C-alpha cells in the first residue's frame, strides 16, 4: 500500500491528463470558489479566446499528479481559499512559431505584502512560470529553465483582484527562447486593464532535457 502514491505519481507524469481533460477536473468546494470560477470561465475575454482558431484552453496545474501538488508552489502551496482561489484558466497558441499565452486568475487577500496589496514576489512567481509556459512549445524538447528575469513594477496590485497574465515569445534560437509579458487587472469587457507589472525573460533548455520529467506537459 505504501507504494501506491508513488505509483500514482509516476503514472501521472507518464500519462498526464490532456488539456481538455484538465477542464473537467476542478470542482469548486465553496460558494465563493464557485462564483470566482464562473466569473473566470464566462468572462468576455475567455469567451473570445475560446473561439479563436489555433488556441487551446486548459488548467495546466491540474496536470501535476495529486500526490505531488503539496510539494509544488503554484500548483499546491499557493492554491486555495484566500490565495489563488481556483486553478488559473490558461489559453495558448502553442502551434505558432512564436507562441503566446493568456492566463486568467483570481488573487486573494492572503497573498499580500503590504495590507491590501498583492506581494511583488508572488507576481514575479506568476510571471516566471507564465512566461516559461508560453515559450516551452517552441523549444526542441518543450522544457527549459529560467536564465534571466527582469521585472518592472508599475502600480500596486489590489488584493481580491481578477488578473490576466499575457506572455509573448519574441525570439527563439536553438535551446534559447526570449519572452515578454505582463500582468494587468482584468477589465470587465475583456479589453486591456491596468498593467501592474511587466517582465522580460530568457529561458534555456538544459542539455539532457529529453530525459527530464515534465511537471507540466505541453504535448
Amino acid at each position: 500500500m505504501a507504494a501506491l502514491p508513488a505509483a500514482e505519481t509516476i503514472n501521472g507524469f507518464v500519462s498526464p491528463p490532456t488539456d481538455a481533460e484538465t477542464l473537467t477536473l476542478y470542482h469548486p468546494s465553496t460558494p465563493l470558489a464557485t462564483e470566482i470560477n464562473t466569473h473566470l470561465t464566462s468572462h468576455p475575454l475567455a469567451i473570445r479566446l475560446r473561439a479563436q482558431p489555433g488556441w487551446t484552453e486548459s488548467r495546466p496545474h491540474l496536470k501535476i499528479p495529486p500526490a505531488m501538488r503539496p510539494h509544488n508552489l503554484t500548483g499546491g502551496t499557493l492554491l486555495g481559499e484566500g490565495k489563488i482561489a481556483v486553478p488559473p484558466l490558461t489559453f495558448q497558441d502553442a502551434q505558432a512559431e512564436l507562441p503566446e499565452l493568456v492566463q486568467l486568475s483570481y488573487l486573494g487577500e492572503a497573498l499580500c505584502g503590504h495590507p491590501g496589496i498583492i506581494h511583488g514576489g508572488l507576481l514575479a512567481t506568476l510571471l516566471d512560470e507564465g512566461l516559461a509556459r508560453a515559450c516551452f512549445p517552441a523549444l526542441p524538447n518543450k522544457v527549459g529553465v529560467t536564465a534571466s528575469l527582469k521585472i518592472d513594477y508599475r502600480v500596486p496590485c489590489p488584493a481580491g483582484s481578477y488578473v490576466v497574465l499575457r506572455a509573448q515569445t519574441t525570439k527563439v534560437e536553438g535551446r534559447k527562447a526570449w519572452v515578454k509579458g505582463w500582468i494587468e487587472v482584468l477589465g470587465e469587457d475583456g479589453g486591456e486593464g491596468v498593467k501592474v507589472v511587466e517582465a522580460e525573460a530568457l529561458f534555456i533548455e538544459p542539455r539532457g532535457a529529453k530525459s527530464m520529467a515534465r511537471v507540466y506537459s505541453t504535448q
Side-chain angles (χ1 to χ4, degrees):
M1 292 298 292
L4 184 58
E8 291 177 346
T9 298
I10 292 170
N11 184 61
F13 281 129
V14 173
S15 303
T18 65
D19 288 343
E21 287 171 343
T22 64
L23 300 175
T24 70
L25 296 177
Y26 175 66
H27 305 285
S29 59
T30 68
L32 179 58
T34 299
E35 177 185 335
I36 292 170
N37 190 59
T38 299
H39 186 82
L40 292 177
T41 57
S42 63
H43 191 275
L45 177 59
I47 294 172
R48 187 167 71 245
L49 290 168
R50 200 172 284 133
Q52 201 158 307
W55 286 66
T56 58
E57 179 181 3
S58 69
R59 280 191 146 131
H61 297 87
L62 298 185
K63 294 192 176 189
I64 302 171
M68 288 296 297
R69 291 175 195 166
H71 310 288
N72 185 277
L73 182 61
T74 53
T77 306
L78 294 175
L79 283 181
E81 186 175 354
K83 299 180 283 186
I84 302 175
V86 305
L89 190 64
T90 302
F91 297 86
Q92 188 164 18
D93 183 15
Q95 301 304 315
E97 183 178 350
L98 296 174
E100 299 183 35
L101 175 145
V102 179
Q103 179 174 279
L104 285 68
S105 306
Y106 177 85
L107 306 181
E109 291 78 3
L111 298 173
C112 294
H114 295 283
I117 298 174
I118 296 298
H119 197 296
L122 183 278
L123 298 176
T125 297
L126 296 179
L127 283 164
D128 182 33
E129 185 176 278
L131 270 60
R133 186 176 292 115
C135 74
F136 279 6
L139 292 174
N141 291 288
K142 319 302 182 188
V143 66
V145 295
T146 310
S148 67
L149 179 65
K150 177 182 179 294
I151 295 180
D152 293 311
Y153 294 96
R154 299 304 184 193
V155 299
C157 181
S161 291
Y162 292 94
V163 300
V164 55
L165 183 155
R166 300 177 186 267
Q168 303 169 350
T169 307
T170 58
K171 184 172 68 170
V172 179
E173 291 183 355
R175 297 185 297 111
K176 297 181 179 180
W178 288 260
V179 192
K180 67 177 182 179
W182 62 90
I183 294 174
E184 62 191 47
V185 176
L186 184 60
E188 286 302 316
D189 60 356
E192 286 193 7
V194 176
K195 286 185 182 180
V196 298
V197 59
E198 297 178 274
E200 295 179 352
L202 166 63
F203 299 94
I204 300 177
E205 181 178 288
R207 290 185 173 85
K210 191 172 184 179
S211 61
M212 289 176 62
R214 307 295 195 270
V215 177
Y216 307 105
S217 171
T218 57
Q219 300 297 325

